[in-house]
Amino acid sequence: MSAARTAKPSRPVLDTVRRRRTVVTPEGIALDFTVASRSSRAGALLIDLMIVALAMLLTTLLLIFLLFGTLQVGDGAFDQKNAAGRVLQGFAALWIVAMFLFRNAYFLFFELRPRGATPGKRMAGIRIAARDGAQLTAEAVIARNLVRDIELFLPAVFFAQASQGGGDTGVATFAALAWLLVFLAIPLAGRDRLRAGDIIAGSWVVEAPRAKLATLLATGTALRDGTSAITGARFRFSEAELAVYGEYELQTLERVLRDGRGENLVAVTEAICRKIGWEPGRGDERAFLEAYYAQLRARLEKGMRFGKRKADKHAGEG
Amino acid sequence: MNALSRLFAKTPEPVLAVEQAALRSDRFRLEREGDWKRLEAIVVRMEKGRLSRLSDEDILALPVLYRTVASSLAIARETSLDAATLAYLDSLAQRAWFLVYGPRVGLWGWLRRFLGGDWGRAVRGIGPDIAIALAVMVAGAVVGWLLVAHDPEWYAALIPEGLADARRPGADAATLRGTLYGDDGQAGLAVFAAALFSNNAQVAILAFALGFAFALPSLLLLVHNMAGLGAMLWLFDRAGLLPDLVAWLMVHGTTELFAILLAGAAGIHVGRALAFPGEAAMLDAAAIAGRRAAQVMTGVVLMLIVAAMLEGFFRQLVQDPVGRFAIGSFMLVFWIGYLFAWRRGASGDAA
């Protein structure tokens, strides 16, 4: 893990560092996972619950519409042994099974697919994986989702039964809330934010990475002779001028170059020139920065090959 | 020294081909980019679930390319400071890993393996917990019987109002008999079966999931359910209808109670692993127990589907106690034989 990551990062960066875990896969390859943030998990869950609720509602409405709209079934048909009664009963059975499946199989169905994520998780950019870096088995997915039943749905059922049966809603609400809080506290307290289901299943929720291969920044011209195509200026930096910065600054510079925003280029050019004692000129800041980037990187990478790394401008060569 | 004041009248060179990259780490990247891109294309197609559009070649290439990219990543971490390339390799290696180690067995493949022996192996793996759950269930039924025999007031506490219906202390034998035979005025057998299944499966899932709280709630749930059964047995015994009730219960009961027994045992298994992890770390022990219990639970849901069919249809269609008894016994023998006696490849039973 590069030292640049701990270089004095801003808060969101710090949070990402804290959530990073290195897992060694069975082939001995170290992969860096980022544990999903609480907010993205909560968001994903809300989206999924909304989808489930909507699917339940639509299925119910559709069945009602089919029955009463097309079959013209009236009251009392349910107990009849005629054709309409049979159809009605069939629909009722279908409805019960559909509700059971929405409640229990929605999460299972999506998490067993290659993406390992429900639609809500996919939107939040997260997915599930096995904690030990080995196979995520179907059993694990089943286990983590069966436990969801007591974490989420049980308190809801508590509450619904109390309010339906005319029971003491206050007490039931309190009990349901307390229950929910206990199970919410588990992922909030743990280091890896495991919920009860994850503990049982040996799974965890991590960010689903998605990065495109960016273009090369330091190509031939910029490094070899540091010539600006616009102004024709040549930028060659001495060892001393390159030695002031480390990996952290190199990465910052890379981000600035990839963003390619004019005002940033100017500001960074001025900052570097101040530091190394050059006079900041005007015209082709990009060429200047590309040349500096390429030569700084060449210098730092050469150092790496000899086992010397410089984390940032404050660090000595180590 | 002004950088831009040093103007050289030199014509700018044409854009150089990327092959002429000057940094060693960039040349490393250019040499391997083709493999990375190929892996990315396979990964994208697999993530979209379009497995059928992948050629056999690509499927075979996946693990090889995954290792190539992973080793590229390891080298790049040591030699390159190009953060964008590192981020790309990191993400690509992870995405490929998700696929190589993801849940790849299709549902059918999994089900076939599950029914072909994995289920029985998982059930045998929680043997001690089944013994505990069975003891608790028997104790629950006995306690229920004794409580009600001692003081019939307990009956209302053990059996919910909705379930009791006509079956309550003081009801005459004819009324009680009426609840065992005849149509019960049941509306639609299919609805009845579906509702029974949905309800029972939810109870079973609860019994399992509560195992997370160190199994105690699972045990209480088993005791409570069985105490109700004990109370009902007492009631029908007083009316001299015990054999009829047992036959009535057995049609689906041997399957349903077996399933609830397994669900409770699965819960106990998980709770036990959490409370007494033994040599292994607590989280590892919980994960192993959880996966085994999940297999058992999948079977439980299947058994409850069968139980609902038996209860919804066969019990209404078969009104003769001997017939009911026969169906129930057959199912019991079937489940025990399938789960405990039938072993496929004795060597594979170690797990």
Side-chain angles (χ1 to χ4, degrees), chain B residues 127-187:
Chain B
D129 307 283
I130 295 177
I132 297 171
L134 184 62
V136 168
M137 285 173 82
V138 171
V142 171
V143 166
W145 179 302
L146 292 180
L147 277 178
V148 187
H150 182 68
D151 178 4
E153 289 290 303
W154 274 99
Y155 194 84
L158 292 175
I159 309 251
E161 189 67 19
L163 206 80
D165 207 12
R167 313 172 183 108
R168 53 183 77 252
D172 57 64
T175 317
L176 289 177
R177 178 176 282 277
T179 64
L180 298 183
Y181 300 99
D183 202 356
D184 291 275
Q186 260 335 317

Side-chain angles (χ1 to χ4, degrees), chain A residues 5 25-27 29-34 78-79 81 88-90 92-94 96-97 100 103-104 111-115 127-143 146-147 149-150 154 179 183 186 194 196-197 199-203 206-221 223-225 227-229 231-236 241 247 250-251 254 258 277-284 288 293-294 297-298 300-301 304-305 309, chain B residues 1-10 12-14 16-18 20-26 29-30 33 36-37 40 44 46-49 51 66-67 70-71 73 76-88 90-95 97-105 107 110 113 118 183 185-192 194-195 197-199 201-202 205-206 208-213 270 274 282-284 286-295 297-298 301:
Chain A
R5 282 179 192 149
T25 68
E27 308 87 350
I29 295 153
L31 288 180
D32 281 355
F33 288 94
T34 309
F78 197 80
D79 295 325
K81 302 245 170 201
L88 181 57
Q89 289 159 14
L94 198 65
I96 293 169
V97 171
F100 178 83
R103 176 172 165 181
N104 292 294
E111 290 184 355
L112 277 173
R113 295 166 69 81
R115 275 216 183 136
R127 57 166 299 148
I128 56 168
R131 230 157 41 217
D132 54 5
Q135 189 91 40
L136 176 66
T137 54
E139 295 85 63
V141 179
I142 294 170
L146 287 182
V147 177
D149 208 65
I150 56 161
L154 191 64
W179 183 275
F183 280 96
I186 296 175
L194 306 177
I199 293 177
I200 299 295
S203 59
V206 293
E207 284 182 2
R210 189 150 292 245
K212 282 250 174 286
L213 186 54
T215 52
L216 284 174
L217 272 182
T219 45
T221 26
L223 180 73
R224 215 174 36 234
D225 46 34
T227 311
S228 162
T231 63
R234 282 174 61 96
F235 308 107
R236 293 291 313 172
E241 284 161 352
E247 291 174 14
L250 181 76
Q251 285 177 359
E254 182 184 338
R258 289 197 192 283
W278 285 34
E279 195 65 36
R282 286 266 164 186
D284 197 0
F288 170 80
Y293 170 80
R297 203 175 119 194
L300 289 172
E301 285 181 355
M304 277 170 95
R305 286 199 293 277
R309 300 196 73 155
Chain B
M1 189 170 21
N2 188 331
L4 294 171
S5 68
R6 298 184 305 169
L7 295 171
F8 288 82
K10 191 179 166 193
E13 285 183 25
L16 286 171
V18 277
Q20 283 172 273
L23 287 173
R24 195 197 270 218
S25 56
D26 283 344
R29 163 177 157 175
L30 291 169
E33 232 178 59
W36 304 351
K37 292 246 166 88
E40 189 182 359
V44 166
M46 280 182 79
E47 280 176 347
K48 288 187 177 145
L51 287 169
Y66 158 65
R67 283 184 184 82
S71 85
L73 173 63
R77 275 179 183 156
E78 296 310 315
T79 59
S80 175
L81 288 172
D82 182 356
T85 302
L86 282 170
Y88 169 79
D90 233 335
S91 120
L92 184 58
Q94 266 188 51
R95 285 165 77 187
W97 174 85
F98 283 134
L99 293 174
V100 172
Y101 286 103
R104 276 178 312 149
V105 255
L107 189 61
W110 185 81
R113 266 201 357 231
D118 279 5
D183 202 356
Q186 260 335 317
L189 299 185
V191 186
F192 188 47
F197 160 70
S198 169
N199 188 51
Q202 223 65 67
I205 290 173
L206 197 62
F208 162 73
L210 285 173
F212 185 79
V270 169
L274 282 170
M282 197 258 251
L283 285 180
D284 295 339
I288 293 168
R291 291 173 192 182
R292 188 181 289 143
Q295 284 198 323
M297 283 305 295
T298 310
V301 172

Side-chain angles (χ1 to χ4, degrees), chain A:
Chain A
M1 194 169 286
S2 98
R5 282 179 192 149
T6 51
K8 65 166 172 42
S10 58
R11 270 206 63 186
V13 176
L14 196 67
D15 180 54
T16 314
V17 171
R18 242 187 244 136
R19 289 192 276 121
R20 198 162 287 149
R21 308 277 181 276
T22 304
V23 170
V24 178
T25 68
E27 308 87 350
I29 295 153
L31 288 180
D32 281 355
F33 288 94
T34 309
V35 176
S37 71
R38 294 168 186 121
S39 51
S40 53
R41 289 184 73 173
L45 180 63
L46 278 182
I47 295 172
D48 285 326
L49 289 181
M50 265 154 50
I51 294 175
V52 169
L54 198 68
M56 283 179 161
L57 185 71
L58 286 181
T59 311
T60 309
L61 288 180
L62 183 74
L63 287 178
I64 290 176
F65 172 77
L66 282 177
L67 270 178
F68 294 93
T70 59
L71 288 172
Q72 305 289 330
V73 213
D75 284 344
F78 197 80
D79 295 325
Q80 289 169 18
K81 302 245 170 201
N82 57 19
R86 288 259 157 78
V87 172
L88 181 57
Q89 289 159 14
F91 272 55
L94 198 65
W95 181 82
I96 293 169
V97 171
M99 292 304 118
F100 178 83
L101 286 180
F102 279 132
R103 176 172 165 181
N104 292 294
Y106 168 86
F107 289 91
L108 263 181
F109 174 78
F110 286 107
E111 290 184 355
L112 277 173
R113 295 166 69 81
R115 275 216 183 136
T118 56
K121 284 199 181 67
R122 212 178 296 167
M123 278 182 231
I126 58 179
R127 57 166 299 148
I128 56 168
R131 230 157 41 217
D132 54 5
Q135 189 91 40
L136 176 66
T137 54
E139 295 85 63
V141 179
I142 294 170
R144 82 187 292 281
N145 283 305
L146 287 182
V147 177
R148 192 190 305 277
D149 208 65
I150 56 161
E151 287 176 286
L152 264 188
F153 296 125
L154 191 64
V157 171
F158 262 4
F159 182 72
Q161 279 177 351
S163 59
Q164 246 180 20
D168 194 339
T169 335
V171 174
T173 313
F174 182 75
L177 267 180
W179 183 275
L180 259 180
L181 284 180
V182 167
F183 280 96
L184 274 181
I186 296 175
L188 287 180
R191 203 176 85 94
D192 289 335
R193 291 139 206 231
L194 306 177
R195 67 170 178 81
D198 287 318
I199 293 177
I200 299 295
S203 59
W204 61 357
V205 183
V206 293
E207 284 182 2
R210 189 150 292 245
K212 282 250 174 286
L213 186 54
T215 52
L216 284 174
L217 272 182
T219 45
T221 26
L223 180 73
R224 215 174 36 234
D225 46 34
T227 311
S228 162
I230 298 173
T231 63
R234 282 174 61 96
F235 308 107
R236 293 291 313 172
F237 302 96
S238 67
E239 270 292 297
E241 284 161 352
L242 293 172
V244 294
Y245 289 124
E247 291 174 14
Y248 178 72
E249 289 78 21
L250 181 76
Q251 285 177 359
T252 312
L253 182 53
E254 182 184 338
R255 269 201 302 279
V256 169
L257 282 170
R258 289 197 192 283
D259 279 355
R261 288 225 305 271
E263 65 269 36
N264 285 349
L265 295 179
V266 173
V268 173
T269 303
E270 283 171 359
I272 293 177
C273 285
R274 224 173 15 252
K275 187 95 182 168
I276 63 176
W278 285 34
E279 195 65 36
R282 286 266 164 186
D284 197 0
E285 281 83 4
R286 171 164 277 280
F288 170 80
L289 290 177
E290 275 179 2
Y292 194 84
Y293 170 80
Q295 292 172 35
L296 176 61
R297 203 175 119 194
R299 181 178 184 278
L300 289 172
E301 285 181 355
K302 197 171 149 207
M304 277 170 95
R305 286 199 293 277
F306 294 104
K308 283 193 293 186
R309 300 196 73 155
K310 182 175 165 63
D312 60 47
K313 60 186 176 187
H314 306 293
E317 311 258 327

